[in-house]
Amino acid sequence: MATLLYRLGRFAFRRRHFTALFWVALLALAGVGAAGAPVAGNTSFSIPGTEAQKAFDVLEERFPGASADGATARVVFKAPAGEKMTDAGNKAIVRDTVEELSDGSEVARVTDPYQGGGVSRDGTVAYASVSYQVSGMELEDSSRDSLEAAAEGARDAGLTVEIGGDALQTVPATGATEIIGIGVAAVVLVITFGSLVAAGLPLLTALIGVGIGVAGITALASTLELGSTTSILATMIGLAVGIDYALFIVSRYRAELAEGREREDAAGRAVGTAGSAVVFAGLTVVIALVGLSVVNIPMLTKMGIAAAATVAIAVLIALTMVPALLGYAGRRVRAAGEKGKRRGREAREDEEKGNGTAKEKARRPNMGTRWARFVVRRPVAVLLIGVVGLGAAAIPASSLELGLPDDGSQPTSTTQRRAYDLLSEGFGPGFNGPLVVVVDAKNSDDPDAVFRQTGDDIKALDDVVSVSPAAPNKAGDTATITVVPDSKPSSVATEDLVHDIRDAGTGLKADTGADVLVTGATAMNIDVSQKLNDALVPYLTLVVGLAFLLLIVVFRSILVPLKAALGFLLSVMAALGAVVAVFQWGWLSGLMGVEETGPVMSMMPIFMVGVVFGLAMDYEVFLVTRMREAYVHGEKPDEAVVTGFRHGARVVSAAAVIMMAVFAGFIGSSESMVKMIGFGLAIAVFFDAFVVRMAIVPAVLALLGKKAWWLPKWLDRALPNVDVEGEGLRTEGDADAGEKGGSPDDRDLARV
């Protein structure tokens, strides 16, 4: 592989005009496709195999035209102090508003609060429900404007009016902190390379890669029904890995220049060595993201595949466009250590003048070397401190509660959150999460009796505030019953109620043959959480197993991949503990902009497992391949650890800081899911890069010694030799030296 990538790097360096034109043309093509693409369609949850989804499908079949998947809005009214919503003047205002809401072209129906039981017992709060014929993301701006205009008219008349529901759903904003994250990445690159040009290359190539990926997602959003957060997550991950992959290749290029190689040869060797690590690191990320499809939640599958495609583009750009831009940059990208050489000359001059301290300073090993030597001398102490520290950070994860965000998790500045609070105040916390019970009595002899019995059985359960009369369809064989719990939607008590209703339905089916199914947003959230929990172990087994096999091929070792996987488990558990502490317990919630604590998003654990595993293997591959390279070339195990850190610690540290900055930039998002994922990934990268890879990994390798690189002979013969260490490039370099008489193209053809 190293030889193939070496030739690819040299080709891209020589044919830089063609390479750059290809990627720019692809970016333009994707941009044109995105600009002409229709607005994304329905992005609602579809959870195959769950009871909530089955009930939803029954509703669509038995209640045609009911727009079960259409957008909804609750316009909530509150009377001024000392007045009631039942006062004649306030009644008139509400009815005028209802009439105005009914005029919308996309409106399916509007319920009058005075006819549908939409007034609270104390008379201070009322609400009107608005149902639309299309989903929230398909809703025209004119419909949203009409909704807000009707509410504003009621406000002008003296009422407090807020709007809840998904009718106001928009693409979430990420805020200015995303730009700050990119700015931090730029500063770190400048410090790392000491050159604006060298620092600009990773940023430029990463932005082009993300631009192609996000534009492609936008162009296909309507066709593939991609969710509103898909492009944000693809941007988050693609930008982070794109900068990192380019950073490693540029850094290796500068190191090759420092060895005295010509620029074209240095570019080829950088792609052949660091590029090999990029390929395998990218493969682990892609495996982890595509593996999300085993959960069988279409939204999560699409998010994973879209992000994986963006990562694949980042890998290809790093292997081709980075060497092409290095060709354009020429001497503006300097060899690594040029400043150090200049300081060395100055030190020799100072020595001649009698200043010995300058000479000692010039010969001082870098920080990575000093740290690696410290760890090699005290591996047990470093290992214990690292494991105990991560274990302590993981303690909050033991009280992890899962759920999906609703309007109650929105900032208090939003009208959705204020509507949620008004409904809780007037009707109780459970009113924001009603349960829809679907009674399918098609196989029953007396459907009406089944409907009545179902309602009576539910009323007898705990944590029930109200049960509506059964509402049958035209055929009279199916009915819906709305149940309002006493507890808020995300509570354990509400989850228990859902299970109790389903248990009661099992007994009813045995007696009457009717199916009793529970659905609605709250029940759907509960089913999603359960499905994700059930899928976590199979997913972890699949992803870690495939990546483990891949790392055996890369490192030609059993213990190194095993150590990598165990270190990942430590970092991901510690990161989940931090997420629980901030978003569930409320620690530092003000600093993170978390206005409402509550259950952790149900897809967070499995999403973090997938993404963090891929990113963790990035640092494992980049750092340990340099150690493996030194060991293969004859160094002792301890010396190889120090060599790996001397060449890789600075770059891996910079890459981790960049990735943390990019992820942390999304903490400013208005979408609670994006905010939580941004924080979780940022803290996970910190734990994995600076505790696991920088401390635990060298400590374990120092303790294992030669055993770390042990591989059974039969397995060694069976595995393909991918040559990540670039051993084949030695003979490649000799061939180049003997072929200098021909043109570059002739030399490549001669090798082929």
Side-chain angles (χ1 to χ4, degrees):
M1 174 176 283
T3 303
L4 177 65
L5 293 178
Y6 169 80
R7 296 173 183 172
L8 177 63
R10 292 191 63 177
F11 173 82
F13 187 95
R14 283 197 311 273
R15 303 300 186 203
R16 61 188 72 107
H17 301 314
F18 168 79
T19 304
L21 181 62
F22 171 81
W23 286 111
V24 171
L26 190 59
L27 176 62
L29 183 64
V32 170
V39 178
N42 186 7
T43 59
S44 60
F45 267 117
S46 174
I47 317 296
T50 62
E51 181 173 314
Q53 184 64 46
K54 183 180 178 181
F56 187 84
D57 295 339
V58 170
L59 285 175
E60 286 195 323
E61 177 188 347
R62 307 287 175 82
F63 291 83
S67 301
D69 60 344
T72 59
R74 275 179 169 175
V75 182
V76 187
F77 307 89
K78 184 176 182 180
E83 297 183 17
K84 302 278 189 180
M85 288 305 304
T86 52
D87 294 345
N90 294 333
K91 259 189 177 182
I93 296 171
V94 171
R95 283 178 170 157
D96 288 344
T97 305
V98 169
E99 186 177 348
E100 185 176 350
L101 290 170
S102 304
D103 292 338
S105 59
E106 294 180 313
V107 174
R109 62 188 175 277
V110 181
T111 60
D112 188 317
Y114 302 105
Q115 296 177 0
V119 181
S120 63
R121 290 183 180 179
D122 63 4
T124 59
V125 178
Y127 73 92
S129 294
V130 185
S131 300
Y132 292 89
Q133 298 170 0
V134 295
S135 68
M137 294 305 294
E138 293 174 308
L139 204 62
E140 296 286 344
D141 290 338
S142 59
S143 294
R144 293 193 182 93
D145 294 341
S146 298
L147 178 63
E148 292 174 341
E152 190 61 35
R155 289 191 193 105
D156 293 340
L159 298 179
T160 298
V161 186
E162 304 296 345
I163 306 171
D166 62 352
L168 296 183
Q169 179 183 0
T170 57
V171 177
T174 54
T177 50
E178 179 186 350
I179 306 301
I180 295 174
I182 297 176
V184 171
V187 171
V188 172
L189 287 170
V190 171
I191 293 174
T192 303
F193 291 135
S195 164
L196 288 174
V197 175
L201 292 182
L203 280 176
L204 177 60
T205 54
L207 289 172
I208 291 174
V210 168
I212 294 172
V214 172
I217 290 170
T218 304
L220 298 173
S222 178
T223 304
L224 301 180
E225 296 183 351
L226 301 178
S228 59
T229 56
T230 302
S231 60
I232 293 179
L233 295 175
T235 300
M236 183 191 302
I237 297 170
L239 192 60
V241 300
I243 294 174
D244 278 7
Y245 294 164
L247 165 65
F248 279 98
I249 289 180
V250 173
S251 184
R252 188 60 184 256
Y253 171 76
R254 296 175 71 238
E256 295 293 339
L257 289 179
E259 295 290 330
R261 305 191 191 281
E262 296 294 330
R263 293 187 177 273
E264 181 181 325
D265 186 44
R269 286 178 177 271
V271 175
T273 52
S276 297
V278 165
V279 169
F280 282 100
L283 274 176
T284 59
V285 180
V286 169
I287 288 172
L289 291 170
V290 173
L292 290 171
S293 58
V294 303
V295 183
N296 196 25
I297 295 179
M299 173 187 170
L300 196 60
T301 299
K302 293 170 185 176
M303 286 167 55
I305 293 175
T310 307
V311 171
I313 292 171
V315 171
L316 293 174
I317 283 187
L319 298 178
T320 55
M321 193 165 188
V322 169
L325 293 180
L326 289 172
Y328 284 118
R331 297 185 179 276
R332 287 187 289 274
V333 176
R334 297 175 298 188
E338 280 194 3
K339 289 185 177 180
K341 293 177 183 178
R342 189 162 55 249
R343 290 194 189 101
R345 290 194 297 269
E346 294 172 355
R348 287 192 294 272
E349 294 173 0
D350 289 340
E351 184 185 10
E352 293 172 358
K353 298 177 182 178
N355 186 359
T357 58
K359 179 181 178 181
E360 294 174 3
K361 185 175 180 181
R363 292 179 177 176
R364 183 181 302 170
N366 63 23
M367 185 177 294
T369 302
R370 296 197 300 272
W371 170 250
R373 287 174 179 170
F374 171 80
V375 175
V376 167
R377 287 195 305 269
R378 297 175 177 82
V380 175
V382 172
L383 179 60
L384 286 176
I385 292 173
V387 172
V388 171
L390 290 178
I395 289 174
S398 61
S399 62
L400 175 67
E401 296 177 8
L402 298 177
L404 285 177
D406 54 20
D407 285 347
S409 61
Q410 295 273 3
T412 53
S413 58
T414 62
T415 186
Q416 294 97 322
R417 171 60 186 279
R418 291 196 292 265
Y420 181 97
D421 292 340
L422 284 177
L423 288 172
S424 296
E425 174 189 333
F427 299 91
F431 194 78
N432 283 292
L435 305 175
V436 179
V437 178
V438 180
V439 185
D440 180 3
K442 194 171 185 178
N443 298 323
S444 175
D445 296 333
D446 189 355
D448 290 336
V450 171
F451 300 154
R452 288 193 300 272
Q453 184 179 345
T454 304
D456 292 340
D457 289 348
I458 294 174
K459 288 177 184 177
L461 298 175
D462 295 332
D463 203 53
V464 174
V465 171
S466 66
V467 178
S468 71
N473 62 349
K474 290 183 179 179
D477 58 6
T478 306
T480 60
I481 300 173
T482 301
V483 181
V484 176
D486 188 40
S487 305
K488 64 181 182 179
S490 58
S491 67
V492 176
T494 301
E495 182 176 350
D496 291 340
L497 175 60
V498 170
H499 293 311
D500 289 342
I501 296 174
R502 288 172 174 170
D503 290 341
T506 302
L508 190 68
K509 182 175 183 178
D511 296 336
T512 65
D515 281 328
V516 178
L517 308 171
V518 185
T519 189
T522 301
M524 185 72 81
N525 290 352
I526 292 170
D527 287 354
V528 168
S529 298
Q530 187 60 50
K531 192 175 182 70
L532 289 167
N533 284 339
D534 294 342
L536 184 57
V537 172
Y539 171 72
L540 194 61
T541 303
L542 173 68
V543 171
V544 175
L546 288 175
F548 182 78
L549 295 176
L550 185 65
L551 292 179
I552 289 177
V553 174
V554 174
F555 296 127
R556 308 195 76 77
S557 162
I558 297 293
L559 295 179
V560 171
L562 180 61
K563 173 261 314 165
L566 293 176
F568 149 74
L569 291 176
L570 274 175
S571 59
V572 79
M573 289 304 297
L576 277 175
V579 170
V580 170
V582 173
F583 291 89
Q584 187 175 310
W585 291 0
W587 294 4
L588 301 177
S589 57
L591 181 63
M592 299 296 167
V594 180
E595 297 188 15
E596 183 73 18
T597 59
V600 172
M601 183 183 63
S602 56
M603 68 176 66
M604 190 70 186
I606 200 165
F607 190 83
M608 280 190 65
V609 164
V611 177
V612 174
F613 182 79
L615 300 180
M617 294 306 102
D618 277 3
Y619 300 118
E620 181 76 14
V621 170
F622 288 133
L623 194 61
V624 180
T625 47
R626 202 66 190 255
M627 299 178 191
R628 169 76 181 171
E629 185 178 339
Y631 179 76
V632 168
H633 291 164
E635 293 189 12
K636 295 180 179 179
D638 286 357
E639 293 173 349
V641 171
V642 175
T643 299
F645 268 76
R646 180 170 64 249
H647 293 292
R650 176 185 175 95
V651 180
V652 168
S653 298
V657 171
I658 289 169
M659 196 171 281
M660 287 167 56
V662 172
F663 288 148
F666 289 84
I667 295 175
S669 173
S670 60
E671 180 74 25
S672 59
M673 181 174 71
V674 176
K675 181 190 292 287
M676 190 179 294
I677 289 177
F679 171 80
L681 294 184
I683 198 71
V685 168
F686 172 78
F687 286 144
D688 196 86
F690 292 106
V691 180
V692 174
R693 309 303 154 189
M694 290 290 183
I696 294 178
V697 165
V700 171
L701 290 177
L703 289 171
L704 291 175
K706 290 184 178 180
K707 295 177 183 177
W709 308 109
W710 171 80
L711 186 69
K713 291 183 179 179
W714 64 269
L715 185 57
D716 187 33
R717 290 191 297 269
L719 292 177
N721 184 11
V722 295
D723 190 22
V724 177
E725 300 84 18
E727 185 68 21
L729 295 185
R730 291 188 171 187
T731 56
E732 189 78 12
D734 294 340
D736 287 343
E739 295 170 358
K740 287 186 177 179
S743 68
D745 292 332
D746 291 339
R747 293 198 299 271
D748 280 347
L749 287 173
R751 281 192 293 273
V752 174

